[in-house]
Amino acid sequence: DMYAGIGYYTLPALVHGNAKHVTACEWNPHALNALRFNLKMNRVADRSVVLEGDCRVTLKELVEKCDKGTAACHIASFDRISLGLLPSCEGGWAIAVSCLRQDEGGWLHIHANVTVNEREKWAHWLCRSLRNILQRDHPKRTRWNAVCTHIEKVKSFAPKVDHVVADVFVGPVDSSKMRLKENATTGVVDFLGKFVPTPQNALPPSCALRKDGVLHQSWLMDNDF
């Protein structure tokens, strides 16, 4: 859970989802106190690790320690990663991809505020962006793709703007977590269950982080940490 807060997603994963282990990242000191309290009171603290600070920094350090053999890899290599930051978690996509299991990949649950009429456009741009991250940061993962299998509306955020979460599998086409056809590529499964390949030139929606866009806060962006 890259943006754990007081445990809004961490606790259900541990208590109801029976997750073997959850690494919870948070930088707000007040939220951290509440998160640790909630983990203890729900008797799941022994199946969790709390990382204090900017998750883009703490997770990068954790991955480096795992690579060097100075940290247990089960807390730095994940099957599922929740990115529940609004209005956008785009700045965390790169480190999230790096933290997925290197052998089988895994699932990213990506939250965002998206205009109602741009949901499909956002999904394709999201998948293309993740594929570009793979090519940029992990050139050896040639058989890895990004496939959005579902988009769920969490709530209405504002007029014509919804808080949604996309379930995106990022990994090799032969992964046991989601077996893809040999010719499968990056794309989106539409509401009819049909796979639609993402075009190479998928354009960014209005909710993309851009210096000249609606969302332009630099602290949200994927900077070099």
Side-chain angles (χ1 to χ4, degrees), residues 64-143:
E64 291 174 348
K65 289 180 180 178
C66 179
D67 291 340
K68 294 177 182 178
T70 58
C73 286
H74 77 279
I75 62 171
S77 182
F78 306 104
D79 299 293
R80 295 180 181 271
I81 299 178
S82 174
L83 298 98
L85 179 66
L86 298 178
S88 172
C89 61
E90 186 179 339
W93 296 354
I95 187 60
V97 170
S98 297
C99 288
L100 292 173
R101 287 183 53 175
Q102 296 183 17
D103 55 347
E104 292 192 311
W107 293 88
L108 301 182
H109 305 291
I110 296 178
H111 294 247
N113 287 342
V114 181
T115 54
V116 174
N117 62 352
E118 287 189 310
R119 187 177 296 184
E120 183 177 349
K121 181 179 182 180
W122 173 75
H124 280 290
W125 169 77
L126 164 61
C127 290
R128 177 53 55 196
S129 298
L130 293 171
R131 179 64 179 141
N132 291 341
I133 288 172
L134 285 168
Q135 292 176 324
R136 182 192 71 192
D137 298 345
H138 309 280
K140 293 183 179 180
R141 299 180 182 180
T142 56
R143 288 174 55 79

Side-chain angles (χ1 to χ4, degrees), residues 183-205:
N183 61 350
T185 182
T186 290
V188 175
V189 178
D190 66 16
F191 67 96
L192 295 175
K194 180 182 178 182
F195 177 80
V196 181
T198 292
Q200 289 286 343
N201 60 343
L203 298 175

Side-chain angles (χ1 to χ4, degrees), residues 16 33 48 50-51 75-76 78 104 118 144 146 155-157 181 185 195 200 213 222:
H16 301 296
N33 289 335
S48 63
V50 176
L51 294 183
I75 62 171
F78 306 104
E104 292 192 311
E118 287 189 310
W144 281 46
K155 63 180 182 293
S156 176
F157 185 84
K181 295 180 180 179
T185 182
F195 177 80
Q200 289 286 343
D222 177 16

